[in-house]
Amino acid sequence: MKVLIMGRKQNLYSSAIEISKHHNIVGIITCKSNAEYSINESHFENLSIKLGCPFVYTNNINNKVFDIIKNTRPEIVISCNWISMIRDDFIKKVPKGILNLHFGDLPNYRGNSVTNWAIVGLEKDITLTVHQMVSGELDSGDIWSQKKMTLNDETTINDINSFSEKHAPKLFLAAIDKILRGKKPQKQSDLDKIAFRCYPRLPIDSKINWNKSAIEINALVRASIPPYPMAYSYIKEEETIKKTYIISSYVVNKKTNDIGTPGHIIKNDKNSGDTWVYTGEGIIGLRKIKFDGENEIYPGKYWKSIRIRFGIDIECELLNIYEKLQK
């Protein structure tokens, strides 16, 4: 089958390589990559050179894109993480339409930042889906192939990305094979699920609320590890406020009979390098942290005292600034 590649990210790149072993890649279209992506537009361009097919870098469906369609006549498009909605006039020019890769158990988890939201939401599993793309609609098309991933209290966003990179090529090939054999997809409307969508996450969404449970805070850390915007908080050392990123954590206790204020450091282990923090429910252990602009460290080897607490009193800090300005 003549296949056009459209989108970005590592899983699409890996899929293009694998599909090229079985089908004819007739063109590659990509758009601006995000900072956290390990694959960018130059990788896709180099792949197009290797495969001997046209390449277009654009953030819009423009005349160059339509020229590729006209000149190469793809039978199907495979897509992942395209930057905007796909127009109907584009879809209609491809006989078999567009197959889109989405990490959601559709119609559940349509939309943005699905993998991050699934971890934060303490889901037990997440489903990688290849579905038919529908013009002007978000992740609503018929389902061709799926693969479920089990999540646990150690799963990180990068684990999910690795799962997608491994299984996306197989799911695309399975979907193409079904189409070639005249099989019918699963209609989302026939599934006994309530459709909902997720909205984009911003860096501020990774700010830690220490009043939440150790389980919830640990989930936020796992959903926000590098290269994504990391979970963070603020801590005051003497007169210096430091933005502190949490790189790695774990749940020490889901519940505790100890009494303290959420965010308070209650233990620093110089041998393991871990620091324990009291939360709204339970205790969380911090394995690695970094201060803004500095290298990562083991907090238990850095802090010596338990008379220190995450979070700052905004009113107090504003008063301190005011008093300094009056001098």
Side-chain angles (χ1 to χ4, degrees):
M1 186 174 282
K2 295 171 69 176
V3 181
L4 179 68
I5 306 297
M6 184 175 183
R8 51 188 180 162
K9 291 192 77 172
Q10 175 70 49
N11 46 18
L12 181 64
Y13 181 82
S14 300
S15 297
I17 292 175
E18 189 62 30
I19 289 171
S20 70
K21 300 175 184 177
H22 307 271
H23 300 278
N24 181 20
I25 304 294
V26 297
I28 297 177
I29 304 169
T30 191
C31 48
K32 184 175 176 58
S33 63
N34 290 348
E36 66 269 17
Y37 294 171
S38 59
I39 292 293
N40 58 36
E41 46 271 23
S42 64
H43 293 92
F44 280 104
E45 184 175 16
N46 289 336
L47 180 59
S48 73
I49 294 171
K50 181 179 179 180
L51 297 177
C53 65
F55 171 80
V56 172
Y57 170 66
T58 177
N59 290 335
N60 302 293
I61 304 295
N62 55 24
N63 289 335
K64 290 183 179 180
V65 173
F66 281 103
D67 284 342
I68 283 188
I69 297 292
K70 179 180 178 180
N71 295 331
T72 65
R73 298 186 181 278
E75 297 168 82
I76 197 166
V77 174
I78 70 163
S79 168
C80 176
N81 208 236
W82 181 253
I83 202 166
S84 60
M85 290 281 194
I86 304 295
R87 291 162 23 189
D88 189 53
D89 58 344
F90 177 81
I91 295 177
K92 287 181 176 178
K93 289 186 178 297
V94 184
K96 301 298 183 182
I98 301 177
L99 300 184
N100 183 59
L101 182 73
H102 180 73
F103 227 135
D105 190 11
L106 299 177
N108 295 343
Y109 278 100
R110 293 173 176 172
N112 308 90
S113 305
V114 167
T115 50
N116 309 81
W117 283 119
I119 296 176
V120 170
L122 305 178
E123 291 285 4
K124 299 300 182 183
D125 54 61
I126 187 171
T127 302
L128 187 62
T129 300
V130 170
H131 68 95
Q132 196 81 25
M133 189 171 282
V134 177
S135 172
E137 298 181 18
L138 190 67
D139 304 322
S140 63
D142 296 343
I143 296 169
W144 284 104
S145 55
Q146 292 183 307
K147 180 72 175 179
K148 183 173 290 188
M149 176 185 182
T150 300
L151 307 180
N152 57 45
D153 59 6
E154 294 184 354
T155 304
T156 70
I157 185 66
N158 287 337
D159 292 329
I160 294 178
N161 288 339
S162 296
F163 180 92
S164 178
E165 182 183 342
K166 177 181 178 181
H167 293 284
K170 301 173 186 177
L171 291 179
F172 274 125
L173 285 171
I176 293 172
D177 180 64
K178 286 182 180 179
I179 292 171
L180 288 172
R181 291 189 291 117
K183 299 293 184 179
K184 299 296 183 182
Q186 170 72 62
K187 292 185 178 298
Q188 290 193 41
S189 58
D190 292 340
L191 297 172
D192 186 21
K193 298 176 184 176
I194 299 175
F196 67 86
R197 74 158 291 178
C198 304
Y199 293 92
R201 291 179 63 83
L202 302 177
I204 195 172
D205 295 325
S206 294
K207 183 180 179 182
I208 296 172
N209 177 357
W210 295 102
N211 289 303
K212 290 194 172 184
S213 69
I215 293 174
E216 291 171 304
I217 295 170
N218 181 54
L220 178 63
V221 172
R222 293 185 287 109
S224 312
I225 66 170
Y228 294 87
M230 290 176 280
Y232 70 93
S233 186
Y234 294 93
I235 202 160
K236 189 171 183 178
E237 295 183 336
E238 297 179 351
E239 293 303 312
T240 302
I241 297 174
K242 292 185 175 183
K243 187 175 185 180
T244 309
Y245 297 98
I246 312 303
I247 300 172
S248 177
S249 66
Y250 60 97
V251 176
V252 177
N253 293 315
K254 295 180 180 179
K255 294 183 180 295
T256 178
N257 292 324
D258 293 345
I259 298 174
T261 299
H264 199 91
I265 290 176
I266 62 173
K267 178 181 178 180
N268 293 302
D269 190 328
K270 65 179 181 180
N271 294 317
S272 68
D274 295 352
T275 287
W276 291 7
V277 183
Y278 189 92
T279 73
E281 185 176 12
I283 297 169
I284 190 169
L286 310 182
R287 288 194 177 103
K288 287 184 181 181
I289 67 167
K290 71 184 294 292
F291 298 121
D292 199 17
E294 300 182 20
N295 295 325
E296 63 182 48
I297 60 173
Y298 297 101
K301 297 179 183 292
Y302 175 79
W303 285 308
K304 310 300 180 185
S305 173
I306 61 169
R307 294 185 178 275
I308 188 170
R309 183 178 299 164
F310 282 104
I312 56 175
D313 188 325
I314 299 297
E315 291 181 346
C316 183
E317 294 305 322
L318 288 174
L319 180 60
N320 288 339
I321 293 172
Y322 176 78
E323 290 175 348
K324 290 178 181 179
L325 291 175
Q326 298 304 306
K327 294 180 180 179

